[in-house]
């Protein structure tokens, strides 16, 4: 079966190949050295590790529970389906507004049948069904009739800040700032986050009147397609917009400096692309795991379908933000590799909800106070149901975290502490780690039996030979 996708990439193959070529290891080391210094995590080093590529190594000793690193997001998105559940800053993913606003919005969307469509296991399933906002009420069982619904006026007052709930002053959240581009879709915790997002990617991807895209209408089409199919396209678009904006900035700096040694367009683009280039990549349609409901004999057709989907998405994106000087970024090969990079790396973005903390706080109050508070808060908790504790969920690329290799007996883990209230990745030591030891985390549930672990890790593109796997496999033979 032939792909519907025209291979209209009449770009120089060499230009695309240069973007996909691995960086020389010296450049990689320099890049990470700078990154580690800017992140202030002095106890680690990124080194090349022979056959398996990069790895993170301890430069100093770490004790159990000690912080090893905090990694900022390079590009990230909140899942489309999660947007009705949590209002977060579009750049740092911190919760914003107020406890009342968070609860009000959630109940409001829930009454409309939009919230809580993902049952429990949202980490795997959201890509297929839940990004669609048009899930009908019978399907998702979230219609107002299934829950103790609150009167619409109460919900509106809560969202507008006309009602305040007891003890919410202990959980202050930053006031939301609207996007400076006027899209009414992105909100921020601070001027600095609004500015940083605008400069990093949003100026090209904003659908508001100050958007710097070629066509806001086309951009709308692209976003709609992504929301209806796979919101990973929104993240890929961010990576492309990020690179274009970096390219323009580097070019402007270069012109201003009137550099004696002129840098070619190609080397400027390679420099702009560097932060994205360091992520391990393969084409999305080659590396995506075959879903359980697809018969292995249909694998070829399935992969072709995935490729066509990416092709459609890319055409829409091109109409919206194409830049002739960065043409290579708009080749299907690059688009497929960017999406594949998000598929292959361990990229969950999770921020715990202050609404959960709030209700736990109320529950922990001394009896008399608790009774008084609960009289007011109970109807809201009932209206929220089990989803009161939903956290912010998304996908992001963390440059440092992505260098951490997997082990089924890891010495570190991703763990958000009480004070970690934004989207940054936090890695904590699980036991004492000595100097020069490699820092590892587990990409999967390491308690699973050997065969299941190997099957899951195959989706990441490797087979594990950690001490635990070596021992388990020797028992099996
Ligand atoms: Zn922020
Ligand atoms: Zn905007
Ligand atoms: Zn293993």
């Amino acid at each position: 079966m032939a792909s519907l996708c025209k291979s209209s990439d009449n770009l120089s193959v060499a230009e695309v190949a240069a973007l996909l070529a691995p960086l020389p290891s010296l450049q990689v080391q320099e890049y990470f050295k700078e990154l580690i210094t800017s992140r202030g995590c002095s106890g680690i080093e990124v080194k090349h590790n022979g056959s398996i590529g990069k790895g993170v190594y301890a430069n100093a000793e770490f004790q159990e529970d000690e912080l090893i690193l905090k990694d900022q997001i390079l590009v990230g998105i909140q899942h489309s389906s999660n947007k009705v559940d949590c209002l977060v800053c579009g750049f740092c993913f911190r919760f914003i507004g107020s406890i009342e606003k968070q609860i009000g919005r959630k109940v409001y969307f829930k009454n409309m049948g939009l919230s809580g469509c993902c049952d429990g296991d949202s980490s795997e399933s959201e890509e297929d069904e839940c990004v669609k906002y048009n899930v009908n009420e019978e399907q998702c069982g979230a219609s107002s009739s299934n829950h103790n619904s609150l009167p619409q006026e109460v919900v509106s007052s809560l969202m507008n800040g006309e009602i305040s709930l007891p003890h919410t002053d202990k959980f202050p959240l930053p006031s939301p700032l609207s996007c400076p581009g006027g899209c009414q879709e992105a909100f921020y915790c601070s001027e600095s986050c609004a500015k940083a997002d605008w400069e990093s990617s949003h100026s090209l991807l904003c659908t508001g009147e100050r958007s710097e895209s070629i066509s806001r209408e086309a951009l709308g089409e692209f976003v709609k397609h992504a929301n209806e199919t796979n919101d990973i396209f929104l993240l890929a678009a961010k990576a492309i917009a990020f690179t274009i904006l970096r390219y323009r900035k580097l070019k402007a700096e270069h012109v201003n400096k009137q550099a004696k040694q002129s840098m070619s367009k190609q080397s400027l683009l390679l420099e702009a692309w560097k932060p994205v280039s360091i992520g391990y990549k393969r084409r999305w349609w080659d590396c995506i795991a075959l879903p359980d409901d697809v018969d292995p004999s249909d694998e070829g057709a399935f992969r072709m379908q995935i490729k066509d989907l990416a092709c459609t998405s890319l055409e829409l994106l091109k109409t919206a933000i194409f830049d002739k000087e960065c043409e290579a970024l708009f080749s299907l090969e690059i688009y497929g590799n960017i999406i594949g990079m998000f598929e292959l790396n361990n990229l969950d973005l999770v921020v715990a909800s202050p609404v959960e903390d709030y209700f736990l706080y109320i529950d922990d109050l001394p009896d008399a106070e608790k009774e008084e508070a609960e009289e007011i808060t109970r109807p809201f908790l009932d209206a929220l149901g089990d989803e009161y504790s939903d956290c912010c969920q998304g996908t992001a690329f963390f440059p440092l975290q992505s260098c951490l290799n997997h082990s089924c007996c890891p010495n570190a883990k991703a763990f958000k502490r009480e004070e970690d209230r934004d989207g940054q990745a936090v890695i904590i030591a699980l036991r004492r780690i000595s100097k020069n030891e490699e820092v590892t985390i587990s990409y999967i549930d390491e308690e699973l039996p050997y065969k299941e672990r190997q099957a899951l890790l195959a989706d990441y593109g490797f087979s594990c030979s950690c001490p635990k796997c070596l021992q388990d496999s020797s028992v099996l033979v």
Side-chain angles (χ1 to χ4, degrees), residues 92-345:
C92 73
F93 301 94
R94 190 183 295 276
F95 279 72
I96 51 178
S98 60
I99 297 292
E100 287 84 354
K101 196 176 178 79
Q102 293 284 348
I103 296 175
R105 286 179 85 241
K106 211 169 147 84
V107 175
Y108 174 81
F109 287 123
K110 196 166 171 154
N111 287 348
M112 285 169 67
L114 289 177
S115 167
C117 302
C118 309
D119 47 7
D121 182 24
S122 48
S123 61
E124 290 299 322
S125 61
E126 75 268 277
E127 285 185 0
D128 359 293
E129 301 99 34
C130 294
V131 288
K132 295 177 185 163
Y133 276 11
N134 56 357
V135 183
N136 68 40
E137 292 184 349
E138 290 81 28
Q139 274 177 323
C140 69
S143 77
S144 53
S145 58
N146 293 352
H147 290 271
N148 304 303
S149 62
L150 289 166
Q152 202 54 51
E153 317 84 72
V154 175
V155 177
S156 304
S157 313
L158 206 57
M159 284 164 78
N160 301 336
E162 289 160 15
I163 301 181
S164 55
L165 300 176
H167 302 286
T168 52
D169 55 328
K170 315 279 185 316
F171 300 86
L173 299 177
S175 310
L177 293 175
S178 302
C179 162
C183 64
Q184 295 302 319
E185 280 159 25
F187 296 91
Y188 300 98
C189 73
S190 61
E191 295 277 359
S192 62
C193 274
K195 185 166 182 278
D197 196 36
W198 187 258
E199 288 174 358
S200 136
S201 65
H202 194 63
S203 55
L204 275 179
L205 299 175
C206 180
T207 50
E209 68 265 17
R210 287 192 52 218
S211 172
E212 288 165 18
S213 62
I214 308 167
S215 158
R216 285 158 61 195
E217 206 189 334
L219 198 53
E221 287 290 307
F222 166 78
V223 173
K224 185 166 171 276
H225 176 261
N227 280 331
E228 286 171 359
T229 56
N230 195 326
D231 63 0
I232 201 87
F233 295 135
L234 301 176
L235 190 55
K238 269 200 178 186
I240 290 177
F242 168 86
T243 308
I244 295 175
L245 292 170
R246 246 175 84 87
Y247 170 83
R248 291 179 187 168
K249 202 174 156 198
L250 286 169
K251 189 180 163 189
E253 281 169 7
H254 190 66
V255 171
N256 281 344
K257 270 195 249 154
Q258 294 178 325
K260 285 205 184 79
Q261 247 187 333
S262 87
M263 252 175 117
S264 67
K265 188 194 89 180
Q266 171 75 359
S267 44
L268 280 170
L269 185 58
L270 279 174
E271 184 59 32
W273 167 252
K274 201 186 263 179
V276 182
S277 81
I278 53 125
Y280 173 61
K281 294 183 190 65
R282 278 182 64 202
R283 288 188 204 114
W284 184 39
W285 45 89
D286 291 339
C287 71
I288 189 171
L290 201 64
D292 292 338
D293 58 352
V294 174
D295 192 273
S297 64
D298 295 333
E299 181 167 350
F302 169 76
R303 299 206 180 276
M304 195 70 84
Q305 246 176 26
I306 293 291
K307 187 175 176 184
D308 285 340
L309 191 63
C311 187
T312 307
S313 169
L314 178 62
E315 288 305 316
L316 293 169
L317 184 66
K318 254 184 180 169
T319 318
I321 67 165
F322 184 71
D323 180 325
K324 179 77 187 153
E325 288 183 40
C326 300
E327 195 176 9
L329 293 177
F330 292 90
S331 66
L332 187 59
E333 186 70 16
I334 295 290
Y335 200 56
N337 270 280
I338 294 176
I339 302 168
M341 170 174 112
F342 298 130
E343 184 79 24
L344 288 169
N345 286 283

